[in-house]
Amino acid sequence: MAEKPPNMPTQTPNNEDTQTENIRCLATLEHFGFECLPTQMVNRSIQKGFSFNILCVGETGIGKSTLINTLFNTNMKESKTSHFYPKVGLKVKTYELLERNIPLRLTVVKTVGYGDQINKEANYQPVVDYLDAQFEAYLQEELKIQRSLADYQDSRIHACLYFIAPTGHSLKSLDLLTMKNIDKRVNIIPLIAKADSLSKSDLQKFKSNIMRELVSHGVQIYQFTADDSEATAPENTSMNGILPFAVVGSMEEVKVGKRMVRGRHYPWGVLQVENENHCDFAKLRNLLLCTNMEDLKDQTHTQHYECYRSNRLQKLGFRDVGPDNQPVSFQDMYEAKRQEFHEQCQREEEELKQTFVQRVKEKELTFKDAEKELQDKFEHLKRIQQEEILRLEEERRKLEEQIIEFYKMKAASETTQAQVCTSVKKDKERKK
Ligand code: GTP
Ligand code: MG
């Protein structure tokens, strides 16, 4: 078996043609065992279990919970949400389901308060943020040194059921805005909710209006790939033709003839949810759960996640090719980034130094001005003080002169008074 075939070229092939030439198809004559590979894969997948993550985007009360319950034939008890939330939120719930020993871990994310605000412009943002956050979590796990992707609970959304209100008219601007903002991040499957409220002809017109609008606004919705297995290819092609699915949800059991079916009972008759002549529910369920679940997951990984990953890594500065269009190794890129970072640090350090010197100079100038101003003020006050001293000296001198004058006058008057007293005394003695 190890012997080299006689026609094998000795040179190493270096182009695609030579490589294909070197591959020989051999029909096996006996049983080797690798025909059992698919069985191994099936067993391993069943052991590991399956997971599927659905996002339901739609206005409050449009029928999201009822449709999910109808799809999985389970009552995932939920209370109704209020119409008065100040902003849009997301409710995440995970369920473990089992169908004939095949386990499915189903995560359902539903919008809360979508379309209830007066200004609906930012309604799509929480949805976008949620989708990106799941991609980011996966990317972080992928970039770890010790990854555990095999056990990783993948929360990336595989399908977004977008509930369109059955207006019979056209899409609302909120629908277009949201779908346009999430179409690069998730597989959008548009649904006309509560389709029982539209007549057959209105429904057809509504469907074509919606598709026309989606095409004219360049909104990418999930395409049922026709190159799938032979069994699903014709189905997928016809599915693309009936989009958006007109769905009706109900958990109510209604008697039709001798059978109990799920449907909605009206005064004029019964709408059977699973009857393809009544609505597209069965087609949607078939597509979502039987034929295209793996493709939805695959598209999420290979298309949407890949797009997020490449944008994110490019923003971080990673490149596959250098400026000369040559492939760059991770080591080279790391070195280049390190060098770039080092240079940037040096540039910033230099800028900081210059700014520091400039600011010191400015401060010095300010201090000098302030010092000069203070000096001038001091000189001025000193001058005023000296003038004041001189004035006071002058006043003191004048006061002292006045005091001397006063004492002189006092002495003179005392002498006069004494003389007068003596003469009065003499007069009195003389009279006696
Ligand atoms: P929130 O979670 O509160 O936002 O509502 P929701 O979008 O989950 O709607 P829900 O499934 O609770 O349905 C709201 C109402 O619509 C219920 O009374 C349902 O019976 C009714 N409903 C749901 N699906 C349909 C449908 O296909 N047709 C009609 N006519 N009514 C429906
Ligand atoms: Mg609900």
Side-chain angles (χ1 to χ4, degrees):
M1 225 175 141
E3 218 173 274
K4 200 170 73 177
N7 59 346
M8 198 174 209
T10 41
Q11 271 187 348
T12 322
N14 53 6
N15 64 44
E16 219 172 278
D17 289 344
T18 343
Q19 274 181 10
T20 358
E21 267 172 32
N22 283 337
I23 297 172
R24 292 173 61 207
C25 284
L26 297 176
T28 55
L29 302 174
E30 53 188 291
H31 173 78
F32 290 109
F34 58 76
E35 63 177 6
C36 300
L37 271 176
T39 325
Q40 283 183 38
M41 286 180 79
V42 169
N43 290 342
R44 179 179 272 234
S45 301
I46 294 174
Q47 254 180 17
K48 229 179 110 187
F50 297 89
S51 70
F52 192 53
N53 306 328
I54 299 186
L55 167 68
C56 298
V57 181
E59 292 164 22
T60 306
I62 203 164
K64 301 182 287 295
S65 305
T66 313
L67 189 83
I68 292 291
N69 284 347
T70 321
L71 270 174
F72 294 95
N73 201 10
T74 320
N75 198 353
M76 306 172 184
K77 289 184 186 83
E78 252 187 37
S79 52
K80 289 193 167 34
T81 39
S82 136
H83 281 276
F84 302 103
Y85 282 99
K87 57 182 183 184
V88 176
L90 290 160
K91 200 156 58 178
V92 185
K93 286 225 169 119
T94 301
Y95 309 90
E96 299 283 352
L97 305 177
L98 199 67
E99 186 183 28
R100 288 198 202 146
N101 281 342
I102 307 287
L104 176 72
R105 190 186 153 90
L106 173 75
T107 300
V108 184
V109 184
K110 289 178 199 157
T111 53
V112 176
Y114 183 78
D116 283 336
Q117 290 72 36
I118 294 172
N119 183 359
K120 301 179 178 53
E121 215 172 294
N123 270 200
Y124 69 86
Q125 200 55 49
V127 182
V128 169
D129 292 345
Y130 182 82
L131 293 169
D132 282 352
Q134 310 322 304
F135 285 147
E136 183 62 29
Y138 191 86
L139 181 68
Q140 290 302 327
E141 187 61 37
E142 242 188 9
L143 295 177
K144 275 185 189 168
I145 293 174
Q146 287 195 334
R147 311 185 287 176
S148 48
L149 285 173
D151 314 322
Y152 181 75
Q153 294 294 356
D154 191 359
S155 56
R156 293 171 300 173
I157 297 293
H158 304 124
C160 164
L161 301 182
Y162 192 92
F163 290 72
I164 300 165
T167 57
H169 202 258
S170 61
L171 285 171
K172 297 179 186 177
S173 50
L174 173 64
D175 299 328
L176 281 169
L177 196 63
T178 304
M179 284 200 253
K180 187 81 198 141
N181 276 284
I182 62 172
D183 69 349
K184 302 271 179 309
R185 293 173 163 91
V186 70
N187 298 309
I188 302 178
I189 303 175
L191 310 178
I192 298 175
K194 301 189 180 179
D196 49 330
S197 55
L198 293 171
S199 74
K200 211 166 180 173
S201 56
D202 281 350
L203 190 62
Q204 273 321 312
K205 272 187 229 149
F206 191 36
K207 277 189 177 191
S208 29
N209 282 353
I210 291 171
M211 289 315 286
R212 214 179 15 256
E213 276 189 278
L214 290 178
V215 172
S216 70
H217 287 89
V219 177
Q220 276 292 318
I221 57 169
Y222 175 66
Q223 291 299 311
F224 300 101
T225 38
D227 58 352
D228 259 357
S229 70
E230 274 172 33
T232 56
E235 198 172 329
N236 277 339
T237 326
S238 69
M239 286 291 183
N240 287 325
I242 59 155
L243 280 168
F245 295 100
V247 292
V248 177
S250 172
M251 288 301 283
E252 204 183 321
E253 294 271 331
V254 190
K255 194 160 187 187
V256 176
K258 287 180 187 163
R259 285 183 312 130
M260 291 302 282
V261 292
R262 278 184 303 158
R264 298 189 81 86
H265 209 155
Y266 296 105
W268 55 89
V270 170
L271 185 144
Q272 298 170 37
V273 166
E274 287 168 71
N275 186 333
E276 291 199 9
N277 292 322
H278 292 190
C279 71
D280 303 330
F281 171 80
K283 287 178 190 141
L284 170 72
R285 186 181 57 189
N286 198 37
L287 169 130
L288 212 55
L289 310 181
C290 298
T291 58
N292 285 60
M293 191 191 269
E294 271 310 309
D295 184 60
L296 284 161
K297 291 168 86 168
D298 202 48
Q299 294 275 324
T300 304
H301 186 70
T302 55
Q303 198 181 320
H304 302 301
Y305 172 66
E306 217 37 52
C307 179
Y308 176 84
R309 184 180 165 280
S310 78
N311 285 341
R312 184 83 171 80
L313 293 184
Q314 274 179 34
K315 269 190 201 153
L316 287 176
F318 291 93
R319 298 278 176 279
D320 288 338
V321 286
D324 46 359
N325 238 8
Q326 290 298 311
V328 216
S329 75
F330 188 79
Q331 177 71 27
D332 291 346
M333 203 170 46
Y334 173 73
E335 286 300 336
K337 272 268 132 200
R338 216 167 66 130
Q339 184 60 27
E340 194 183 308
F341 180 69
H342 182 68
E343 282 167 9
Q344 192 184 340
C345 281
Q346 277 187 334
R347 261 198 316 273
E348 279 175 14
E349 196 182 329
E350 192 53 41
E351 271 173 28
L352 269 176
K353 266 187 199 163
Q354 280 180 5
T355 322
F356 178 73
V357 170
Q358 182 66 23
R359 289 185 75 174
V360 166
K361 272 185 191 162
E362 279 169 17
K363 276 279 163 218
E364 266 177 8
L365 271 178
T366 328
F367 283 143
K368 267 187 189 155
D369 287 352
E371 194 186 349
K372 193 173 171 300
E373 205 174 300
L374 272 176
Q375 190 65 35
D376 289 353
K377 225 175 190 172
F378 173 72
E379 293 294 335
H380 176 69
L381 285 173
K382 206 168 143 188
R383 223 174 19 252
I384 291 176
Q385 190 202 24
Q386 276 174 353
E387 281 170 12
E388 192 68 10
I389 289 171
L390 283 176
R391 193 178 59 77
L392 285 174
E393 283 292 327
E394 180 63 24
E395 266 179 28
R396 202 173 82 175
R397 197 184 50 76
K398 279 182 186 165
L399 270 175
E400 278 174 357
E401 277 176 11
Q402 279 174 5
I403 290 169
I404 292 169
E405 197 62 30
F406 172 76
Y407 280 122
K408 274 183 188 168
M409 278 168 67
K410 192 180 166 195
S413 84
E414 274 174 0
T415 320
T416 323
Q417 205 175 358
Q419 282 173 354
V420 170
C421 279
T422 323
S423 61
V424 169
K425 222 175 181 181
K426 277 180 184 170
D427 279 352
K428 269 185 188 170
E429 278 174 7
R430 225 182 291 136
K431 277 176 189 168
K432 269 181 199 174

